Each structure stands twice: as structure tokens, then as C-alpha cells.
């Protein structure tokens, strides 16, 4: 009885640790990406940051698989059995790998043109796209409350975008700001996130390969695509200035934060139910809005506040259902 009580307390504590970790990571990533793209000094190449993030993910997942399998020999055997000897399966992984690379590059574009608060709210449209692809690909059935929540979500994002387009724009250093480009980049990233997440989930359910080994596959496939995008879009700059042009301690921190985000979610998601994850996301939006006021001189309007409230409400409404009846709002991508 005592053991059961201690286990319950530990699980309860882990839920709140999960809440804090998810909230901090969600808020920090949006704010950090925005700051990195608008501060003074040499601008780092976002395409190279995506490559570095994938490399960090690969190394991290290899270490986890190494620990799980029990040694370097077992690790190499697992890679040979589950990746090298299954070329068709690995080839299928190339689809979400390619999509994730494009998505991550688009997120940097969005962060360059949208303030952190607007970016954070707009990116929640990935809930809508994930639900749509879950219905189309996985044949999921959504409840009436979930359909209502998706309508609320769209309405909230529209209000936020209209509030920002009609409001005064603060002048930042860095590249010229274009809200339309930022919104289209965020919207495209949401569509890609939804498709890749559901495609990846279907692969996970259709095989006995562990989540970590799947993520090794993803990173192995993603790195060549990410490198190709580097030299296609930024080849001239890389040849003249170098791969790490514009990098400093903050950029390395951003790379680690982006790479670790998915890993954190994958670890804590089993301790957090849908309500808790929704609360973490909603709290991150609030933190981003408040921090943006002081860091980026963001002007909070009544219309933006109403739109953000709609989005936050939709997150809670969508997640407030039994797990067996919900379309996923997050994936196991690390």
C-alpha cells in the first residue's frame, strides 16, 4: 500500500514536471527563434541550423538506442537489422524526412517575419492540419466538440492575423518584415507538420521498430536533404563565408533547444494527458505574449487578446476527450 502511494505521488510529480518542461520549451523556442532572426550582427544561415539540429537529434537518439541495446555491438546490429536490411522501409521514411526539413526551414522564415506572440498562436493551426490528415489517412473520427474546437482555432488565428495587420508595426533590426510571407510560411509549416506527423505515426503503428530507431532513420534521411537545401539556397554564402557564418553561443543554444524539443516531448508525453499538454501549450502562448511586450515592444490589442483566447480555448476543447476517440495533436518526431 505504501509502495502504491509513493508511486502515485511520483507520477503526480512527474506530471507537473512535464507541464513545466513543455511550457518552458514551447515558450523559449518561439521567443529565441524570433530574437535570433531580428537581433543586430551577422545573420546566421537558417538552413545550416536545420542541419545542425538534425545532427544533434541523430547523436542523441543513437546514444539512447546504445543504452537500450546494451553496447556498441548490439547498436550496430540493430542499425543493420532495422535500417540497412530494410531498404524499402527506410525509403518510406524519406518522405517525412524531406517534409520535416522543409517545415523546419519554413519555421525560421515565419519567425523572421512574425513577432513571437503571433508566430506562437498561428503555429497552433498544426492541430487543425493534424486532425485533417488523421481523418484522411488514419480514418479517425472526430467528435462534435473537436470539430467545434477546430472552428474556434481558425477563428482565433484569423482574429490574431487581422489584429496584427491593422495594428502598428514595430521596426526591428535584421531583415525586412513581411507579415504575409510570415503567415504563409507558418501555414505551410502547419500543413507539412500535420502530414508528416500522421505519416510517421502510421509507420510507427505498422512496425515493431522502436520510436528511437525510427528517429535515427528520420535523421539519417533528413541530413542529406538538409545539406542539399543548404547548398541550393545558400551555397554562395557558404562558399565565401563558411558553413558556420553568423554562429555564436546563442545560435548554438537555439540549435540545441530546437533539437531537444522533440526529445523532451517524446519523454514526458507519457506522463501528461491531453488536458495537461493543452495547458502547457496555452501557458506558453501567454508567456510569449507577455515576454514579447517587454523584449520586442509588442503591442497587445483587444482583438489579439480575443483571438488568442479563442485559440487557447480550442486547445482545451480539442483535448478534453477520451484518448481512444481523439485524433493526435502531437507526434513522436524527435
Amino acid at each position: 500500500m505504501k509502495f502504491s502511494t509513493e508511486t502515485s505521488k511520483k507520477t503526480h510529480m512527474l506530471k507537473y514536471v512535464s507541464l513545466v518542461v513543455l511550457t518552458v520549451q514551447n515558450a523559449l523556442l518561439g521567443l529565441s527563434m524570433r530574437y535570433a532572426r531580428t537581433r543586430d550582427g551577422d545573420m546566421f544561415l537558417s538552413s545550416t541550423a536545420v542541419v545542425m539540429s538534425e545532427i544533434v537529434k541523430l547523436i542523441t537518439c543513437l546514444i539512447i538506442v546504445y543504452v537500450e541495446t546494451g553496447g556498441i555491438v548490439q547498436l550496430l546490429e540493430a542499425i543493420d537489422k532495422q535500417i540497412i536490411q530494410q531498404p524499402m522501409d527506410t525509403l518510406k521514411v524519406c518522405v517525412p524526412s524531406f517534409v520535416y526539413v522543409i517545415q523546419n526551414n519554413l519555421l525560421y522564415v515565419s519567425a523572421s517575419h512574425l513577432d513571437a506572440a503571433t508566430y506562437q498562436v498561428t503555429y497552433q493551426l498544426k492541430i487543425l492540419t493534424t486532425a485533417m490528415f488523421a481523418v484522411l489517412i488514419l480514418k479517425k473520427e472526430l467528435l462534435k466538440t473537436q470539430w467545434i474546437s477546430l472552428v474556434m482555432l481558425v477563428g482565433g488565428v484569423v482574429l490574431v492575423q487581422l489584429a496584427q495587420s491593422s495594428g502598428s508595426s514595430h521596426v526591428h533590426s535584421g531583415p525586412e518584415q513581411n507579415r504575409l510571407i510570415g503567415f504563409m510560411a507558418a501555414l505551410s509549416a502547419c500543413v507539412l507538420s500535420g502530414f508528416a506527423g500522421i505519416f510517421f505515426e502510421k509507420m510507427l503503428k505498422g512496425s515493431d521498430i522502436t520510436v528511437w530507431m525510427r528517429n535515427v532513420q528520420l535523421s539519417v534521411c533528413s541530413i542529406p536533404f538538409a545539406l542539399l537545401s543548404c547548398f541550393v539556397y545558400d551555397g554562395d554564402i557558404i562558399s565565401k563565408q563558411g558553413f558556420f557564418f553568423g554562429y555564436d553561443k546563442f545560435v548554438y543554444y537555439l540549435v540545441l533547444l530546437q533539437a531537444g524539443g522533440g526529445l523532451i516531448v517524446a519523454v514526458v508525453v507519457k506522463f501528461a494527458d491531453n488536458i495537461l499538454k493543452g495547458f502547457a501549450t496555452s501557458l506558453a502562448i501567454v508567456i510569449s505574449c507577455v515576454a514579447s511586450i517587454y523584449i520586442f515592444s509588442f503591442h497587445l490589442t483587444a482583438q489579439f487578446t480575443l483571438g488568442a483566447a479563442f485559440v487557447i480555448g480550442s486547445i482545451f476543447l480539442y483535448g478534453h476527450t477520451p484518448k481512444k476517440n481523439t485524433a493526435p495533436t502531437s507526434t513522436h518526431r524527435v
Side-chain angles (χ1 to χ4, degrees):
M1 189 72 175
K2 184 179 179 181
F3 177 78
S4 177
T5 304
E6 290 179 353
T7 302
S8 179
K9 286 182 178 179
K10 189 175 180 180
T11 303
H12 190 69
M13 183 186 70
L14 284 172
K15 281 188 176 183
Y16 287 98
V17 170
S18 300
L19 169 65
V20 173
V21 172
L22 283 171
T23 301
V24 171
Q25 194 277 332
N26 282 342
L28 276 181
L29 185 58
L31 291 167
S32 299
M33 288 180 71
R34 176 61 177 173
Y35 175 74
R37 302 306 288 175
T38 58
R39 61 181 181 155
D40 294 325
D42 294 329
M43 179 66 68
F44 70 99
L45 301 175
S46 59
S47 59
T48 64
V50 171
V51 174
M52 293 305 299
S53 179
E54 290 298 330
I55 291 174
V56 172
K57 290 174 187 176
L58 176 60
I59 294 172
T60 303
C61 290
L62 283 173
I63 292 173
I64 293 173
V65 175
Y66 167 81
V67 173
E68 286 184 343
T69 55
I72 188 67
V73 175
Q74 292 87 339
L75 169 63
L76 294 174
E77 288 177 348
I79 293 174
D80 178 63
K81 179 181 178 181
Q82 299 180 358
I83 298 180
I84 298 176
Q85 292 184 20
Q86 299 187 44
M88 290 305 297
D89 188 64
T90 302
L91 191 62
K92 290 179 183 178
V93 176
C94 288
V95 175
S97 297
F98 177 67
V99 172
Y100 277 127
V101 168
I102 299 175
Q103 173 201 330
N104 289 332
N105 277 285
L106 285 171
L107 289 179
Y108 274 106
V109 174
S110 180
S112 298
H113 294 278
L114 294 178
D115 57 80
T118 305
Y119 165 85
Q120 191 78 267
V121 173
T122 304
Y123 193 48
Q124 299 315 311
L125 282 174
K126 64 184 178 181
I127 298 173
L128 170 66
T129 59
T130 301
M132 294 297 97
F133 283 112
V135 171
L136 293 173
I137 298 176
L138 299 181
K139 308 303 179 184
K140 293 277 188 178
E141 291 186 4
L142 301 183
L143 302 178
K144 289 183 180 179
T145 53
Q146 291 177 306
W147 286 112
I148 293 172
S149 73
L150 295 177
V151 173
M152 285 177 60
L153 176 65
V154 173
V157 171
V158 169
L159 283 173
V160 166
Q161 289 296 325
L162 291 177
Q164 292 310 98
S165 62
S166 61
S168 59
S169 178
H170 182 75
V171 178
H172 295 278
S173 57
E176 183 181 351
Q177 311 290 290
N178 187 316
R179 293 190 186 280
L180 179 60
I181 292 176
F183 174 71
M184 293 307 297
L187 182 61
S188 300
C190 288
V191 173
L192 294 176
S193 174
F195 171 74
I198 295 301
F199 190 97
F200 188 43
E201 181 184 341
K202 188 174 183 180
M203 291 194 67
L204 283 172
K205 290 182 177 179
S207 71
D208 57 355
I209 298 179
T210 66
V211 172
W212 305 116
M213 186 57 77
R214 275 296 186 203
N215 279 284
V216 170
Q217 281 183 309
L218 277 169
S219 292
V220 167
C221 294
S222 295
I223 290 172
F225 288 133
L227 283 171
L228 181 62
S229 69
C230 277
F231 291 99
V232 169
Y233 295 106
D234 300 311
D236 292 339
I237 300 176
I238 292 174
S239 62
K240 295 176 182 176
Q241 304 286 354
F243 189 85
F244 296 102
F245 174 68
Y247 274 60
D248 57 13
K249 290 181 180 179
F250 189 84
V251 177
Y252 286 113
Y253 145 79
L254 180 59
V255 167
L256 291 174
L257 182 65
Q258 188 175 34
L263 179 62
I264 291 170
V265 172
V267 171
V268 305
V269 74
K270 63 181 179 181
F271 299 113
D273 56 24
N274 282 331
I275 301 301
L276 195 59
K277 286 184 288 181
F279 186 73
T281 302
S282 302
L283 191 56
I285 292 174
V286 174
I287 292 173
S288 295
C289 290
V290 174
S292 293
I293 294 173
Y294 295 99
I295 299 174
F296 305 113
S297 299
F298 174 69
H299 301 287
L300 187 64
T301 65
Q303 188 172 334
F304 183 97
T305 303
L306 179 61
F310 266 62
V311 171
I312 291 171
S314 72
I315 293 171
F316 278 107
L317 186 59
Y318 187 86
H320 191 60
T321 50
K323 291 183 178 181
K324 62 181 181 180
N325 292 329
T326 58
T329 58
S330 62
T331 69
H332 296 284
R333 168 60 169 144
V334 175

